[in-house]
Amino acid sequence: MTMPTSVTFTETDIERLGDHAGRVAVVVDETGKMDVSARRVNRLTKGALKRALEAKATEGLKPGTVFTLAYPAGMAADAVDVLCVPRSAPVHKARAAGAIVGKQRGKADLLLATGSSKWAAQIALGAVLRDYSFQAHKTDAEAKAGSIEVMCNDKAAVSAAAEPLMAVAEGTFFTRDLVNEPANILTTTSFADRLVEMESIGLKVEVLEEDKLEELGMRTLLAVGQGSASPTKVVVMQWNGGAEGTAPLALVGKGVVFDTGGISLKPAAGMEDMTMDMGGAGTVAGVMRTLALRKAKANVVGIVGLVENMPSGTAIRPGDVVTSMKGDTVEILNTDAEGRLLLCDAMWYTQERFQPAAMIDLATLTGAIIIGLGHENAGVFSNDDTFCKAFLKAAEAEGEGAWRMPLGQAYDDMLKSPIADMKNIGGRPAGSITAAQFLQRFVKEGVPWIHLDIAGVASVKSDTPLAPKGATGWGVRALDRLVADNYETE
Ligand code: BES
Ligand code: MN
Ligand code: ZN
């Protein structure tokens, strides 16, 4: 996998600022107040930093921004990046500033002189997250070059604070790699293999094969994959870091490794984007990796349904009626509304086996959510206000866009079928909501549940503050924080 650049931590030694080749970064607040390192840079550059800060101060220095002094006279460095990160800044501003220097670094050695900034570790996380590039299929891929060193006044405290954050970075990179990977490489089998590999970091991983899924009665899940040469699988990942016997938080992910639409075939233009239709499963996997790496004191189970939606002589047809694991029958009117078919069985299985304290499903479920919310926010649907608020709070703190959408009986009524218990589409109006209503039919009474429609945010066509274009890893940070703030013991 693409590994995050490892960050080293050293004690502040301002003598090194003048000699460091590569890039040097210093931190100031919104008033332009210089710390010891910044003052040293100012001295070395014969007042250039102070003049720049004074010029910037007239328009106001904005938290989360960076300006650069290129080829500073009096220093060996090619550039000095000046980060504006006041103590009072929210954490995402610290990361945003870090991300800018992470990007600007290129292949240079970056010396981040954070002094006594309380945001040192978060700045480092920003730098590391933005410094991602998917090189797996470039034959001329160059090895990652250059280093990131954080020079700070309390090395022990900053490196301790950075440890769980680097687990978040690695989990996010894992998700991004999975989402970026083309479907001929990331088949249901190779996806499952990559998840099984996480046994090496302490996760318990099981792969349920088709015969087992058949035995369990997961017919709607199997129906989605029955036109593909790749076998359908369900992978169960368990992280038991919490008190024994405590009901787990369950994360359930849609893992359609490629969505052609099936017999209800999608148009050719843009179909290649459907390599990301396993984004829900990819995010669940990244969160599980993060929790294991930072040894979270919580019980969390991640369950993903891995299928490929293909048209073929064995594929499901529009009009087919299939029985779910729950026992409810579904009239499949559109084979392209496949995500809900696999999720309903995966969610039912999750509840039957684990009796989770709460359940969150993630899926690139509907194009309609992109029409509604664009690429800025994931759609959030929930049957429980308290649980939903806790998630929205975590997402907000992490700077991951999330917006609550409504549910209601009238939407559910749109799923009525004349011949089965329900149909798998509700028509064009409120397409994301009827998809969520379909899922809610498979949530047991009393289980707090959130459905995250991540179709618009899992992979995007332009750079975002913390990621280059392509897979974002949306949700890994929010879910990790949700666990940290609500499910960890002591
Ligand atoms: N995987 C798609 C949704 C999607 C669209 C994800 C664009 C990412 C980007 C999903 O399986 C799908 O095809 N949904 C249909 C549902 C419809 C047939 C009711 C859609 O949104 O058009
Ligand atoms: Mn589809
Ligand atoms: Zn799909």
Side-chain angles (χ1 to χ4, degrees):
M1 69 169 279
T2 310
M3 285 300 285
T5 300
S6 66
V7 179
T8 55
F9 299 88
T10 54
E11 293 286 348
T12 297
D13 174 6
I14 58 169
E15 298 300 322
R16 292 180 50 212
L17 292 167
D19 300 333
H20 181 81
R23 296 182 85 96
V24 168
V26 294
V27 181
V28 299
D29 67 10
E30 74 274 41
T31 66
K33 186 162 166 270
M34 292 186 281
D35 69 359
V36 179
S37 300
R39 286 205 300 275
R40 175 65 166 201
V41 166
N42 189 50
R43 259 196 317 278
L44 288 164
T45 59
K46 300 203 164 58
L49 178 56
K50 185 149 178 271
R51 282 167 57 205
L53 283 168
E54 278 165 3
K56 297 275 169 194
T58 53
E59 41 194 277
L61 282 160
K62 285 198 187 67
T65 63
V66 174
F67 72 86
T68 300
L69 299 178
Y71 302 106
M75 293 178 69
D78 288 341
V80 175
D81 292 313
V82 185
L83 289 72
C84 177
V85 186
R87 273 194 80 75
S88 61
V91 60
H92 65 264
K93 295 278 185 200
R95 290 180 188 162
I100 295 168
V101 295
K103 183 185 177 199
Q104 288 180 172
R105 175 178 83 85
K107 293 181 168 48
D109 291 330
L110 173 66
L111 181 62
L112 264 166
T114 57
S116 63
S117 172
K118 72 165 187 177
W119 291 125
Q122 297 289 356
I123 290 169
L125 175 61
V128 165
L129 282 174
R130 185 60 183 77
D131 189 23
Y132 170 88
S133 151
F134 185 62
Q135 297 287 318
H137 306 294
K138 293 275 198 191
T139 53
D140 61 352
E142 288 169 41
K144 254 206 173 133
S147 58
I148 301 178
E149 177 184 343
V150 174
M151 194 167 90
C152 54
N153 295 0
D154 190 345
K155 175 186 147 180
V158 173
S159 60
E163 218 175 297
L165 300 181
M166 295 307 143
V168 171
E170 188 176 324
T172 305
F173 276 32
F174 189 56
T175 300
R176 288 179 186 170
D177 275 3
L178 289 167
V179 172
N180 283 329
E181 201 68 271
N184 62 323
I185 306 294
L186 193 76
T187 61
T188 54
T189 303
S190 65
F191 197 158
D193 290 347
R194 289 195 195 188
L195 300 183
V196 170
E197 272 174 30
M198 291 204 289
E199 283 180 335
S200 67
I201 54 168
L203 285 168
K204 197 170 147 196
V205 185
E206 286 160 74
V207 182
L208 311 186
E209 305 290 351
E210 283 182 351
D211 49 354
K212 179 70 183 169
L213 302 174
E214 198 78 65
E215 194 186 302
L216 286 162
M218 295 169 80
R219 281 299 323 152
T220 58
L221 179 129
L222 285 162
V224 177
Q226 76 186 37
S228 169
S230 292
T232 293
K233 293 168 195 278
V234 167
V235 181
V236 180
M237 295 164 271
Q238 293 182 66
W239 175 253
N240 294 317
E244 213 180 301
T246 312
L249 169 69
L251 305 175
V252 184
K254 167 180 172 181
V256 176
V257 294
F258 195 75
D259 181 13
T260 64
I263 298 298
S264 311
L265 195 63
K266 285 184 181 294
M271 201 199 275
E272 67 279 4
D273 290 346
M274 287 303 114
T275 52
M276 55 73 98
D277 208 21
M278 34 51 67
T283 306
V284 170
V287 175
M288 297 309 293
R289 190 176 192 97
T290 297
L291 296 174
L293 288 172
R294 70 172 182 80
K295 302 198 164 42
K297 292 190 174 60
N299 295 339
V300 181
V301 54
I303 289 168
V304 295
L306 307 180
V307 298
E308 186 179 40
N309 188 19
M310 295 290 266
S312 84
T314 59
I316 39 167
R317 291 153 290 248
D320 283 2
V321 174
V322 176
T323 306
S324 65
M325 181 181 178
K326 181 186 174 192
D328 290 357
T329 56
V330 182
E331 183 188 14
I332 299 173
L333 289 179
N334 190 322
T335 64
D336 197 13
E338 84 295 344
R340 63 199 78 179
L341 296 175
L342 74 99
L343 280 173
C344 71
D345 273 351
M347 284 163 56
W348 195 257
Y349 172 75
T350 300
Q351 295 166 95
E352 290 272 77
R353 176 162 170 200
F354 293 102
Q355 289 86 42
M359 175 168 69
I360 302 180
D361 78 81
L362 291 99
T364 49
L365 202 64
T366 66
I369 202 70
I370 309 176
I371 304 301
L373 299 175
H375 300 284
E376 311 306 319
N377 286 285
V380 181
F381 301 81
S382 183
N383 64 355
D384 186 301
D385 291 348
T386 310
F387 186 36
C388 190
K389 277 198 190 116
F391 176 77
L392 290 171
K393 191 175 160 212
E396 157 120 53
E398 292 295 327
E400 293 187 311
W403 194 261
R404 190 170 184 183
M405 302 284 287
L407 290 165
Q409 188 57 47
Y411 298 112
D412 186 77
D413 289 344
M414 291 158 79
L415 295 170
K416 279 184 182 152
S417 157
I419 68 160
D421 296 336
M422 70 197 85
K423 52 187 186 179
N424 78 327
I425 49 169
R428 268 177 67 79
S432 304
I433 307 176
T434 53
Q437 290 296 160
F438 183 98
L439 297 178
Q440 193 176 7
R441 287 177 174 230
F442 298 86
V443 177
K444 289 189 178 181
E445 189 67 44
V447 177
W449 160 75
I450 293 172
H451 157 57
L452 298 173
D453 192 336
I454 62 170
V457 295
S459 181
V460 294
K461 302 243 183 270
S462 45
D463 293 3
T464 51
L466 296 180
K469 65 172 182 280
T472 59
W474 186 97
V476 174
R477 284 178 284 130
L479 290 167
D480 177 62
R481 180 179 288 260
L482 181 78
V483 170
D485 291 351
N486 301 276
Y487 294 90
E488 297 206 38
T489 47
E490 37 147 85

